[in-house]
Amino acid sequence: SSDLNMSEPTQLLYINSKEIFNMADYKIVLLKGDGIGSEIVNQAVKVLDKASEKFNFTVEYDEALLGGCAIDATGVPLPDETVAKCKAADSVLLGAVGGPKWDNQPGNNRPEAGLLGIRGALGLFANLRPAVIFEPLKKASPIKDEIIGGSLDIMIVRELTGGIYFGKRGRTEVDGQPAAWDTEQYSVPEVERIARVAFDLAMKRNKKLTSVDKANVLESSRLWRETVTRISKEYPEVELNYMYVDNCAMQLVRNPGQFDVIVTSNIFGDILSDEASMISGSIGMLASASLSESKSGLYEPIHGSAPDIAGLGIANPLATILSVAMMLRYSLDQPKAADAIEAAVTKVLENNRTPDIYEEGTNKVTCEQMGDLVCEAL
Ligand code: IPM
Ligand code: MG
């Protein structure tokens, strides 16, 4: 209608209603979790606030319980209220869950069950785990310089809501002895959608995709491979190769430079992403994004809750800060803010280190100081 063409009044109405309702541009739910979770999330929030000032957007936060803290408060690791809050948010930032305190919980009520539960409830089927080397940290990598070559930039795309993590499992008896079983199952649509995410990412990068499976043994892997091959026809520009998971584990330390994007199942991705993270020097550095069909995602460092150093103020907040950068890029359409945070982190690393990545000749800083330094560099 003609009313809608009068851009000025529409614009005014928009600004006024935002002010009247005090609406922020983005609503973020924080799941601080357990152990070092709250320390690292607090630093990441500081950095996000700083980025919002600099790039002119507003963020509103809400908190919800997940993991051990949720068990303590409500009896379950994933309360319904947490799912509802996350569903209504523009994005979710997670610290870490778990700790020895809850090790005696039954399997389906452990903190980790809360993490798997929220992945399932939000349909977060695509987990992006970049393994990159930050130039100032090159010496921290246990892999020799000549093997790493110029740089390392691998994107692991892990299927996150299927496979053996979500398959049927149980206890039984074999020959009168107690036994247990888990099942690995993938449907064609599950493989198709994760393959498309990986091919799309490869198109934006170096157009190389490695699909990792165990097709010499597992039927689910044979279906995975057939499906990826079929989807590859939609992406003629991407060079696709296949690798068995055992070979891939070996190739990651023999010649990591051969990889661009890796796509693999839930359990293989869990294992390979920890391995790839260490090539980059410290598991305390790597971020991840978990994405669904919708735009909002869940962002978390790939490391755990580190109960041994919780409360000491020495945790490395950079993986969580870099997760915020991924959130800005993939969910909030603020790519410039994402780039700026990543650049600030690289700059700060030249002279400042938390204990996990400390090197002689640099300043040893606390979790909070690291957060402040990134804000200053921003
Ligand atoms: C990860 C973690 C989780 C997983 C655990 C905590 C359940 O290792 O995010 O990689 O296995 O997915
Ligand atoms: Mg893992």
Side-chain angles (χ1 to χ4, degrees):
S1 77
S2 61
D3 275 14
L4 290 176
N5 291 332
M6 304 196 313
S7 60
E8 230 176 336
T10 320
Q11 187 89 5
L12 274 177
L13 187 70
Y14 173 67
I15 292 168
N16 286 342
S17 66
K18 259 184 127 181
E19 273 172 9
I20 291 163
F21 297 114
N22 193 18
M23 268 161 54
D25 293 317
Y26 307 116
K27 257 191 101 172
I28 309 291
V29 167
L30 306 175
L31 304 173
K32 294 182 176 179
D34 311 314
I36 59 171
S38 57
E39 300 164 49
I40 54 179
V41 168
N42 289 344
Q43 300 314 309
V45 165
K46 224 157 64 179
V47 173
L48 182 53
D49 283 339
K50 182 77 193 184
S52 72
E53 271 170 41
K54 196 175 148 129
F55 293 91
N56 267 313
F57 55 85
T58 52
V59 185
E60 192 182 286
Y61 302 96
D62 195 359
E63 284 190 35
L65 296 171
L66 179 75
C69 60
I71 297 173
D72 289 348
T74 71
V76 293
L78 177 61
D80 292 343
E81 193 197 7
T82 296
V83 176
K85 280 185 176 180
C86 291
K87 279 188 175 164
D90 290 303
S91 200
V92 181
L93 182 65
L94 168 66
V97 299
K101 182 174 177 195
W102 304 282
D103 274 349
N104 295 326
Q105 289 283 330
N108 61 2
N109 209 54
R110 290 178 59 100
E112 291 82 356
L115 183 58
L116 300 187
I118 192 82
R119 288 172 180 170
L122 301 180
L124 304 168
F125 69 91
N127 186 213
L128 276 41
R129 299 191 162 187
V132 291
I133 288 206
F134 291 83
E135 196 54 35
L137 285 184
K138 242 181 155 173
K139 272 199 249 142
S141 172
I143 309 287
K144 292 193 198 97
D145 263 8
E146 61 260 38
I147 288 179
I148 291 172
S151 66
L152 179 84
D153 185 354
I154 304 174
M155 178 67 87
I156 297 188
V157 179
R158 169 187 178 194
E159 199 291 326
L160 203 61
T161 52
I164 201 161
Y165 273 59
F166 288 82
K168 290 207 174 77
R169 69 185 98 249
R171 296 283 174 125
T172 180
E173 244 180 44
V174 175
D175 298 332
Q177 297 298 320
W181 53 277
D182 299 271
T183 43
E184 171 86 345
Q185 175 177 303
Y186 272 108
S187 69
V188 166
E190 279 179 306
V191 183
E192 283 176 346
R193 65 181 181 177
I194 193 72
R196 287 205 174 92
V197 169
F199 277 110
D200 286 339
L201 277 166
M203 282 300 289
K204 293 189 194 139
R205 295 169 46 103
N206 293 324
K207 302 190 177 162
K208 272 193 72 181
L209 178 63
T210 305
S211 176
V212 174
D213 61 41
K214 190 73 186 172
N216 49 348
V217 178
L218 304 177
E219 199 54 38
S220 52
S221 281
R222 290 191 270 272
L223 179 103
W224 180 283
R225 202 177 268 221
E226 283 159 32
T227 308
V228 171
T229 305
R230 185 162 41 73
I231 298 298
S232 73
K233 308 282 184 281
E234 297 167 22
Y235 299 86
E237 283 176 57
V238 177
E239 183 195 322
L240 169 68
N241 71 322
Y242 312 94
M243 217 176 254
Y244 297 139
V245 62
D246 49 349
N247 184 29
C248 182
M250 188 262 278
Q251 295 295 337
L252 273 171
V253 289
R254 197 187 74 96
N255 177 18
Q258 71 184 287
F259 297 106
D260 177 21
V261 181
I262 290 175
V263 63
T264 192
S265 66
N266 205 339
I267 191 160
F268 295 160
D270 178 46
I271 298 164
L272 295 176
S273 61
D274 265 29
E275 186 189 7
S277 77
M278 203 55 223
I279 301 171
S280 78
S282 169
I283 196 165
M285 290 300 303
L286 295 188
S288 83
S290 302
L291 306 174
S292 64
E293 308 279 9
S294 89
K295 200 145 195 224
S296 67
L298 181 146
Y299 296 81
E300 57 174 315
I302 81 157
H303 61 71
S305 60
D308 51 323
I309 60 162
L312 301 182
I314 57 168
N316 183 350
L318 292 177
T320 318
I321 290 171
L322 292 165
S323 298
V324 163
M326 290 189 89
M327 176 190 287
L328 289 163
R329 182 170 295 122
Y330 293 108
S331 287
L332 308 184
D333 283 325
Q334 297 283 347
K336 285 190 183 138
D339 290 345
I341 290 175
E342 285 164 357
V345 167
T346 305
K347 181 149 185 279
V348 167
L349 279 173
E350 279 164 19
N351 297 312
N352 306 281
R353 306 291 172 80
T354 43
D356 58 312
I357 49 174
Y358 178 72
E359 253 176 84
E360 196 90 28
T362 60
N363 306 317
K364 198 182 270 184
V365 300
T366 63
C367 182
E368 188 166 357
Q369 286 168 329
M370 190 55 109
D372 290 336
L373 285 163
V374 175
C375 287
E376 272 166 41
L378 252 184

